[in-house]
Structure formats: C-alpha cells, structure tokens
Amino acid sequence: MKMTSKILLAFGLGFASNALAENPIIQTYYSPDPAPVVFGDTVCVYTGNDEGGSFFTMHGWRVSCTTDMVNWTDMGELILTNESFGGNAKKNGDWAAQVVRRNGKYYYYVTVESTRGGRAINVAVADKPEGPFKDARNGQHLAGPNWDYIDPTVWIDDDGQAWLYWGNPKLYYAKLKENMIEFDGDIKVTDMSRGFSPSGNSVYTEGPWIHKRDKKYYMIYASHGVPEKISYSTSDSPTGPWKWGGVIMDQGNGTAFTNHSGLIDFKGRSFFFYHNQKNVSGGGYSRSTAVEEFTWNADGTIPTIKSTNDGVKKPIKNLDPFTRVEAETKSWVGGINVDKSGGYTIIKHVAKQGDNVYLTNMGSNFYTKVRSVDMGDGADRIIVCTRGNGGKIELHAKSETGATLATMNIPASSSWQENTFDLSDAAGVEDLFFVVKQGGFDFDYWYMESEKTAVPQTPFKEVASAIPGKIEAEDYDVGGHNKAFYDNDRENKGGAYREDEVDIVQIDSADKSKGYALGYTEDGEWVEYTIDNQIASEYTVRLNMATASDDVGVQFYVDGKEITDVIKAEKGEDWDHYSTVEAKTKEIPKGEHVLRMQIVGNFVNVDWFKFCMGFDCEESPIALQKTRVELQIPEKIYAVFGMTGKFLGNVEVNGQSVAKSIRAAGFTPGVYMVRSVGQSKTFRVLVK
C-alpha cells in the first residue's frame, strides 16, 4: 500500500542512509556470466549455474530479478538445461547466454557443448521472463558446432533489425530474421584479437556484450587473455568497423581469472554487471554476479570501473512491506550451507514446487537481509507463510543482532500456512534481517499490516451479494491481496474496471456493452465474495465462461469448505466466445458467509455466476401456472418473480395473504409470479 504524503514527510523522503548493497548480489547459487535485461520496471539478470570442481562445470541457467537494484528475487532453480534441446547438447556444458524480448516472447540464446563435437549456439523461447524455456528449433543448433562458438549477445536495433554476436577468439555476428530463430544471411567475422589496441596486445578474448547509447554502438568484452580484463570498442554501425575504447575493469579485489560483463541503463541510472569469486566457498569455477553503478563520461566514453564490496549504494526505490514480499527476495544471505559431495560445490537454499518458489534447508545460523524497507508511520503485525516443522525467526533492524522487532515462534504445519505476529517499534525506513533461530521449516513469503494500512475484507460496493441471485465475477470483495483475492503475478494485465492486481478484461463487443470478466487467470488464483444466503439449501450454480484451453474451470468454497466439484468450462476457439455451464452445490448455510471461487488450470475467463433453484434456473418463463391465490397461507417462504421471470427476492408469509406479505416487504403494487420455495408450482399474485 502507498503511504500518504504526510507520512512520507514525517519520516523523510530519502532512502535508508546507513545501509549499503553487497557484492555479489546473488548468494543462493553460483551465478557466472551475468546478462542483465530491462523489462519495463524490472531488471532480470540471467546467469549460468556454476557447480564447482576443477573446470567450468555448469548445468543449466538461472535468473534473479529486481525492481529496486538492491533486493534481488531468486526466481527458482533451473529455467533451462541441456536436456531441453532434444539430445544435441552434452551435460554440464551450459555456458554463457542472453535473453531478449520480442513480440511478447522471450528468446534465450545459450552456449552448449554439442554432442557432435565443438561448441554451438542454441535458442529457446518462453512466454514469461522466468520461463520455463523450451527449445525453439526442434533439436537443431542455431550456429555450430565450432569450438569458437560461445557467449552469444543479442540486440534489436532501432530499425527493428535483430543481431547476434558471439565468439572466442574472434567476434562472429549475423542478422536474425523476424522470427528470432533463424539467420538472415551468412555468418560474418571480425578479428579484434591482434594489433587492435594501441600497444598491439591481444585484446578481444570472449564474452561480447552489445549496447547502444544515442547513435553509438558499444561492444564490451573480456580481454587480454587470462587473467581477463573487461574492455570495449565503439562503432557507428552494428557491423563495425570497431574502434578501441579502453579497459573498463582490470583485475583485483576478488575478481575471478575469467570475467564476463553486461551493461544497462535503468531509470535514468547506469549499471555495470560482472562476476567475482566472493560468494561463500567461491573460486574460479564457483563465480557470482556483482554490480557497480557508474556515470557515463560527458563525451560518451565509459569510465574505468573498480570492483567493490558495496555495489549499488542507493536503491531505485524503497521496498513496500505492506504488499506480499517473497522470502527469496533479499540483498544478502548469511549462514549459507554448501554441498560439496561428489566433487561439486552447490548451494541449495531455494526450491520450487510448481510455480511456487521458497526458501528451504535453513539452519539456526541462516538469515536474509532485506534493504530499505519503508514501514511508514508504523507497522503493527507481520504475517509469514511457512510449512514444515516448528521453528523460530527473529526480525531485527539494522543488523542481524540489532533491535528486535518481532519474535516469531513458527508452528508446525503440513501445508502452507500464514502466521501472524506482533511487531514492536517497526516504523520508518530500515534494513530488516530475518534471523532463523530454529530451522526445519520452509519460508514462502511475508508482509506487514498496521491499524492504518490493514484493509478489512468487505463486500464490493458495501452490499453483500444475495443468494439466490446472480454475481458478476469482477465484483469480488475489497480487502487486498491474500485477503479478498490471490493473483499469482501481481500485475494487472487486464487494466479494466478495478485498479488492484486482479486481471479484469473488457468483454469484446462493438458497443462495449457486454461488461467485464476475470481474465489472464492461472491455476490456484482465487477471489472471494461476501454473500447473504437467504435459504439453507442446495443450489444449481450456472457460470458464463470462455476458454481455448483444455481442462480448466473453477471450484467454489464457502467458509473454506468445498461446495462444488471442479466445474469445467467448455473449450472454444478463443477467449471471446462465452458459454454457460452448470453444476450442483452442497447445502449452503443461511446467512452471511464468504464464498471463494478458485481457478483450476490456466486461462479461463469468468463473466458471471448465478445460484438458483427451480423456476429461477430456467432460461425463460414459459408455461407459468395461472392460479388464483388463496387468502390465508400457512407460514412459508415464497420466491417472488417479475412477469418476465426475473427473480426479485424471497418473502416470509406469516399467517397473512401472500399479496399482503409481498406489499409489507416493500414491493410496489403490481402483478408478480410467486412460487413456494422447494415447490415447482407457480402462480400469479395481484399486489395492491
């Protein structure tokens, strides 16, 4: 949640001043060969996956992302491996790579060791930046095999032309077709390895990185053999000729004997990525990504950049703790355990189950640091989601032994469970430390609440939805994430009707008269509705849904208990053609309750649903019974309908005529259709 301007003024508009970033920026795995990419408000750094040993043993590729440049979220385990390429790549030969986005797809250009001998460039594709990625060429290399073919870098120029560069000891390049998985023309080569620098030394080695600023092209690369430096050259064309620019980063301060770099401009600031060997048990074959902020020289040249332990000192923004924060989002991890069995060096503190990423294997010396957390004018509670054995976490400010904000005795749970704990003196901008005092549990996410920021769950438009009756899917409760709804990606893709993270789409029609629907849905997402059920009864529930996917639908719960089986949508040609399906419910208790609709499977649009019984479930009021009403009726509940068959509500009849009971209930004079609840016979009533 966003704080008011008064709150910001009370605690200062600046960032936390006593906290610095740490290098390397990723501690939960060894992350060589960084390839940073900007996707809107997010930076993702794609890396290899060093496993130690006596050579470059690298299995698969991984990614971590950030929105503030100091807290990085580990997106979880391997997003692509040699096994993904139909048998054309050997195990443990997954080298440097880079991702680019085009036409809504993400293309991953990677180095593999070919099963035919030599190195090769493969390409994979995904729908999301974190994958999963799949082979885009059906088992065929994009380039190679050739022992020179390593370390691809990709660039889409201002005119839309995409280029791929790679190579050691020469720089190879080629045009890419619009489909991004084929070359448009022959492979070219540029020799920048001999006689290229003013001293005539061997300069270009490997690891190219292409960047463009204004109208100038920058080719950045590992240089001068081993141990490697980082140098760059410039050109007015993506094909050269290239002019020597100078050394950007020399050896020293824990850099590995190899280096690999990437450069981005983000939010008006510039950042230089490289790898060092400073992570726990690090070395030349267990390397980790680091970053330095820099300022371009006025003439467009790149300054000399030194490797530091601090990295980025000022975040892009403070972290908001009043929204869900993944446990694997952190600026630093302490107390790491390293598995060195079998001659490998592997860190195993992050796991993934389905789409869910979480921290695991945490011992009593484990902690995570989260930088620049803005608690505004104060937070009163912290909620942590855990599972597994009971344990204990302490929340400290400023350091792992600083002021204690909360002591959290984690209960044992066989499934994911939210646990709430009181906070003490939690206000302003602080670096927070989650210190595990007793491990044995997994840690998924956390968030904070305060009396001022906690929004109670209440009905949309302040009126509970009546049952029997029709409910528009987009009219879910107010209350926020993980209270009134849960959305996997937290991005509002629909952009219609409401402004939270739930994806609502405008139903396509010429006059936009068809309303709205829940869209972009994913398995496990849910929305809740406060309902007012007027009759304790089983119902028929009818849903209007659209999908082009197989085996997707919804399931309903009341107060956490299932009331339906999975209700599957009818598969259509696309998500613009809606059809109605129905199912039976278990008995819903009378009174006010919380109804949850949970998505099962991926990608189903939900327009509306209706709980009904008997006549009210029929499509049209055909064959209505035209029966006169007796004056005196025993105490009963009657369903009242308009003459078009629309359900208007229920009325209790207590020893007087139905007509008088309807009038006493507030209905206007007129003719109504009435049916005793639980009966099929319908009759007319004249209300005066």
Side-chain angles (χ1 to χ4, degrees):
M1 297 179 182
K2 296 181 179 178
M3 299 296 173
T4 66
S5 58
K6 291 183 179 179
I7 293 172
L8 288 171
L9 288 171
F11 286 92
L13 293 172
F15 298 98
S17 61
N18 64 329
L20 299 180
E22 290 85 5
N23 272 330
I25 59 174
I26 299 169
Q27 305 88 38
T28 44
Y29 55 95
Y30 296 107
S31 52
D33 305 328
V37 189
V38 177
F39 300 125
D41 292 331
T42 301
V43 173
C44 291
V45 58
Y46 296 86
T47 75
N49 181 49
D50 271 354
E51 295 190 340
S54 58
F55 190 61
F56 301 107
T57 305
M58 304 164 71
H59 180 225
W61 296 270
R62 300 185 69 157
V63 63
S64 288
C65 300
T66 184
T67 57
D68 59 20
M69 288 303 298
V70 296
N71 295 301
W72 291 84
T73 302
D74 187 335
M75 305 306 290
E77 299 186 311
L78 303 178
I79 60 174
L80 179 69
T81 72
N82 66 289
E83 289 96 335
S84 305
F85 292 110
N88 73 15
K90 294 182 179 179
K91 184 179 181 181
N92 294 335
D94 302 340
W95 286 11
Q98 187 183 341
V99 168
V100 71
R101 176 171 61 186
R102 184 162 208 171
N103 298 328
K105 298 286 187 180
Y106 298 82
Y107 295 90
Y108 208 162
Y109 300 89
V110 302
T111 309
V112 299
E113 184 175 356
S114 176
T115 52
R116 291 153 44 196
R119 291 277 170 184
I121 308 300
N122 281 0
V123 58
V125 65
D127 294 323
K128 298 186 293 184
E130 70 274 21
F133 285 86
K134 297 181 180 179
D135 182 15
R137 288 180 53 84
N138 298 318
Q140 299 297 313
H141 300 312
L142 174 61
N146 183 322
W147 286 113
D148 288 0
Y149 284 10
I150 66 171
D151 301 351
T153 181
V154 62
W155 179 262
I156 301 175
D157 212 341
D158 299 334
D159 61 2
Q161 179 60 59
W163 296 87
L164 192 73
Y165 305 82
W166 69 96
N168 175 340
K170 297 179 181 180
L171 178 67
Y172 297 83
Y173 66 95
K175 281 185 177 182
L176 286 165
K177 291 183 178 180
E178 175 74 19
N179 64 18
M180 301 297 286
I181 63 172
E182 295 178 282
F183 288 140
D184 184 4
D186 297 332
I187 295 173
K188 309 291 185 181
V189 62
T190 298
D191 189 352
M192 292 195 292
S193 62
R194 301 288 173 186
F196 190 68
S197 67
S199 62
N201 293 329
S202 174
V203 176
Y204 177 88
T205 304
E206 60 185 0
W209 179 268
I210 182 68
H211 183 79
K212 189 178 183 182
R213 183 177 174 86
D214 297 327
K215 296 181 179 181
K216 185 75 69 178
Y217 297 85
Y218 294 79
M219 186 62 67
I220 304 162
Y221 44 85
S223 64
H224 294 85
V226 175
E228 292 178 338
K229 304 178 183 182
I230 299 293
S231 297
Y232 78 103
S233 301
T234 62
S235 176
D236 295 326
S237 165
T239 62
W242 298 98
K243 179 182 178 182
W244 164 253
V247 173
I248 300 174
M249 179 173 283
D250 209 334
Q251 281 284 305
N253 192 30
T255 53
F257 65 86
T258 62
N259 207 342
H260 191 110
S261 62
L263 184 153
I264 59 169
D265 296 316
F266 179 58
K267 300 289 185 179
R269 295 160 63 181
S270 299
F271 302 92
F272 180 80
F273 291 74
Y274 61 102
H275 64 224
N276 63 26
Q277 55 187 45
K278 292 184 179 180
N279 201 5
V280 58
S281 298
Y285 303 116
S286 300
R287 303 155 296 175
S288 297
T289 291
V291 64
E292 309 292 344
E293 185 170 2
F294 74 97
T295 301
W296 290 80
N297 293 327
D299 61 359
T301 57
I302 303 174
T304 300
I305 300 172
K306 293 184 178 180
S307 171
T308 73
N309 296 331
D310 297 334
V312 179
K313 297 181 179 181
K314 180 181 177 181
I316 295 290
K317 62 179 181 178
N318 291 326
L319 185 142
D320 181 2
F322 299 104
T323 61
R324 169 171 162 162
V325 182
E326 300 301 323
E328 61 276 10
T329 297
K330 68 281 179 236
S331 68
W332 192 258
V333 178
I336 288 175
N337 294 317
V338 180
D339 183 355
K340 294 187 177 182
S341 60
Y344 294 97
T345 306
I346 302 174
I347 299 170
K348 298 179 178 178
H349 283 299
V350 172
K352 186 174 184 180
Q353 187 175 41
D355 290 332
N356 192 37
V357 184
Y358 54 92
L359 292 179
T360 189
N361 298 324
M362 299 178 293
S364 58
N365 62 340
F366 184 91
Y367 71 86
T368 62
K369 175 184 177 182
V370 186
R371 277 192 57 194
S372 302
V373 179
D374 188 355
M375 295 171 283
D377 62 345
D380 300 296
R381 296 175 294 277
I382 185 169
I383 295 87
V384 298
C385 183
T386 61
R387 73 174 180 188
N389 298 330
K392 184 178 180 179
I393 304 175
E394 290 181 354
L395 181 64
H396 295 268
K398 296 190 185 334
S399 74
E400 63 268 34
T401 58
T404 302
L405 306 187
T407 298
M408 297 171 269
N409 292 307
I410 306 298
S413 174
S414 60
S415 59
W416 292 112
Q417 174 178 297
E418 287 193 348
N419 307 290
T420 303
F421 303 94
D422 290 336
L423 288 167
S424 176
D425 298 323
V429 181
E430 296 276 15
D431 292 346
L432 299 183
F433 292 75
F434 291 81
V435 182
V436 176
K437 294 296 184 179
Q438 179 185 339
F441 56 90
D442 297 329
F443 186 8
D444 189 6
Y445 61 84
W446 63 273
Y447 60 93
M448 292 181 177
E449 290 181 340
S450 77
E451 298 301 333
K452 293 184 178 181
T453 60
V455 177
Q457 183 171 345
T458 55
F460 185 64
K461 297 181 180 179
E462 301 180 353
V463 178
S465 299
I467 290 181
K470 180 180 179 181
I471 301 174
E472 296 292 338
E474 66 271 19
D475 289 345
Y476 52 86
D477 283 359
V478 175
H481 179 84
N482 230 31
K483 289 185 181 178
F485 56 80
Y486 176 78
D487 190 279
N488 284 338
D489 62 14
R490 304 180 67 82
E491 176 187 358
N492 190 328
K493 298 188 182 74
Y497 192 66
R498 296 173 71 169
E499 295 181 353
D500 53 39
E501 65 205 57
V502 178
D503 306 312
I504 300 175
V505 297
Q506 178 106 45
I507 295 178
D508 188 34
S509 64
D511 58 0
K512 301 295 182 184
S513 62
K514 292 186 179 180
Y516 306 94
L518 300 185
Y520 299 97
T521 56
E522 296 181 15
D523 186 50
E525 294 181 340
W526 50 263
V527 287
E528 290 185 343
Y529 308 81
T530 300
I531 59 171
D532 184 11
N533 184 34
Q534 300 177 33
I535 310 163
S537 176
E538 297 178 355
Y539 286 87
T540 296
V541 58
R542 308 183 71 212
L543 297 99
N544 199 38
M545 299 186 286
T547 186
S549 301
D550 293 311
D551 297 324
V552 296
V554 303
Q555 189 168 16
F556 286 96
Y557 301 77
V558 168
D559 298 336
K561 297 180 180 179
E562 292 181 4
I563 62 165
T564 70
D565 295 328
V566 176
I567 307 170
K568 293 185 179 180
E570 292 183 2
K571 182 178 179 181
E573 295 180 357
D574 54 36
W575 284 267
D576 291 327
H577 292 81
Y578 287 76
S579 58
T580 304
V581 298
E582 67 179 40
K584 299 295 184 182
T585 76
K586 297 178 181 177
E587 181 174 301
I588 303 176
K590 183 178 180 181
E592 190 167 291
H593 303 277
V594 173
L595 172 74
R596 173 177 291 190
M597 181 176 69
Q598 183 159 320
I599 304 299
V600 180
N602 292 325
F603 310 128
V604 58
N605 287 7
V606 185
D607 181 10
W608 53 259
F609 50 94
K610 176 181 179 182
F611 291 85
C612 57
M613 56 176 63
F615 169 79
D616 191 38
C617 290
E618 296 178 7
E619 293 288 356
S620 59
I622 300 174
L624 299 178
Q625 301 288 337
K626 298 180 180 180
T627 306
R628 299 289 298 176
V629 183
E630 296 181 2
L631 292 179
Q632 298 296 322
I633 306 293
E635 182 176 342
K636 287 184 178 181
I637 297 176
Y638 285 79
V640 181
F641 306 89
M643 292 305 293
T644 62
K646 181 180 180 180
F647 174 73
L648 302 176
N650 291 306
V651 172
E652 291 188 6
V653 177
N654 298 303
Q656 60 182 341
S657 71
V658 176
K660 289 182 179 180
S661 298
I662 293 173
R663 187 72 179 95
F667 287 80
T668 58
V671 178
Y672 296 89
M673 301 305 301
V674 178
R675 173 178 49 76
S676 177
V677 171
Q679 303 296 318
S680 59
K681 188 175 182 180
T682 305
F683 46 86
R684 290 185 182 183
V685 174
L686 174 63
V687 177
K688 297 181 179 179

